[in-house]
Amino acid sequence: MTSVPMVSASGVCKSYAGIEVLRGVDLTVNRGEVTCLIGPSGSGKSTFLRCINHLEKHDAGELRVDGDLVGYEARNGKLYELNDKRICQKRSEIGMVFQRFNLFQHLTVLENLTIGQIKVRGQSTDRAKAKARELLDRVGLDNKEKHYPSQLSGGQQQRVAIARALAMEPKLMLFDEPTSALDPELVGEVLDVMKDLAQSGMTMVVVTHEMGFAREVADTVYFLDGGVIEESGNPREVLSAPSSERLKSFLSKVL
């Protein structure tokens, strides 16, 4: 029996005000795989990522996570949008790490990691704190639990954001350019945490400009341009010997 892919996209389209941002994206992410989405700004990478957890509604095509339609259910041959409660429940199973951290500034690091566990998952405060401390230790921030986000560097805040996402025990992690807002010397500490996560078997979809990370960690890389996938495959092959002129041009600017 073949296992169901963690993410399956077929002909996914998305428009804003008549402008096509995604024009029929086909993509598969199997369990335990790391998939990197690369491409120029405005190519649709972040939009597609946000469609995976229904932060954006796709207009056409089919998108599934762990075999279930994203944002909809099929009944009697028709699609019906899930209500907000069901959407939130599904979204809680998918970790999302944003470019700008999105931490709660008025909460301590420890509180940032426990609030979702308590309010969404119904965990006891003691269990939530124990899990939070375990994760802070994993990302190298066990001495920062009483700090507020404003007291941390950008790299430390992003590591807290990753730990917060992991606290919800997601089956899938999405990263939207997690290092692009960081000073160059802080990028490595975040990528190290992500590499550790990949080695532990977490299924990950990463929008990134870090080609070294994509080459080293990804199982598959997809190059998006103009809302379509121009090229995809093994990152060592795709990034070393691209076949499309568009990807050659892109890599000449970023490598």
Side-chain angles (χ1 to χ4, degrees), residues 56-67:
E56 300 282 358
K57 295 181 191 177
H58 57 290
D59 301 327
E62 186 177 276
L63 188 53
R64 291 179 181 269
V65 170
D66 203 12

Side-chain angles (χ1 to χ4, degrees), residues 13-23 42-44 47 59 226-227:
C13 297
K14 173 70 181 176
S15 297
Y16 295 106
I19 297 169
E20 288 184 301
V21 181
L22 298 174
R23 299 186 295 132
S43 59
T47 298
D59 301 327

Side-chain angles (χ1 to χ4, degrees), residues 80-224:
Y80 296 88
E81 189 167 7
L82 301 178
N83 61 35
D84 287 346
K85 185 178 180 183
R86 293 273 308 280
I87 287 170
C88 287
Q89 188 269 321
K90 292 283 188 187
R91 197 177 284 147
S92 74
E93 299 172 353
I94 302 172
M96 180 98 178
V97 177
F98 299 88
Q99 196 172 335
R100 292 275 170 194
F101 325 134
N102 286 22
L103 296 172
F104 298 116
Q105 296 296 318
H106 65 292
L107 299 180
T108 65
V109 166
L110 191 69
E111 289 165 343
N112 263 282
L113 266 70
T114 56
I115 186 169
Q117 295 184 70
I118 294 166
K119 290 189 177 296
V120 179
R121 283 284 158 91
Q123 288 280 25
S124 70
T125 302
D126 286 347
R127 282 192 66 180
K129 283 183 177 179
K131 183 159 196 66
R133 289 182 173 123
E134 179 188 314
L135 288 166
L136 287 173
D137 182 50
R138 182 174 176 181
V139 300
L141 293 171
D142 51 319
N143 60 340
K144 301 291 186 185
E145 67 172 62
K146 293 179 180 174
H147 287 59
Y148 287 88
S150 61
Q151 297 172 299
L152 305 178
S153 72
Q156 289 170 332
Q157 289 187 64
Q158 195 60 295
R159 284 187 279 155
V160 171
I162 293 171
R164 181 180 65 176
L166 291 174
M168 300 298 285
E169 299 182 352
K171 56 189 174 185
L172 169 67
M173 285 284 285
L174 308 176
F175 294 85
D176 190 4
E177 299 193 24
T179 59
S180 63
L182 302 179
D183 292 331
E185 66 267 26
L186 301 178
V187 168
E189 65 190 53
V190 173
L191 293 181
D192 284 345
V193 170
M194 292 170 65
K195 288 174 188 173
D196 173 66
L197 201 52
Q199 286 165 357
S200 74
M202 175 62 74
T203 311
M204 298 160 60
V205 183
V206 185
V207 172
T208 187
H209 290 294
E210 301 290 338
M211 297 301 138
F213 174 83
R215 181 182 278 115
E216 181 184 346
V217 180
D219 295 284
T220 310
V221 65
Y222 288 85
F223 172 62
L224 274 82

Side-chain angles (χ1 to χ4, degrees), residues 31-47:
R31 292 165 200 277
E33 285 188 347
V34 178
T35 295
C36 284
L37 308 180
I38 64 170
S41 296
S43 59
K45 307 181 302 295
S46 294
T47 298

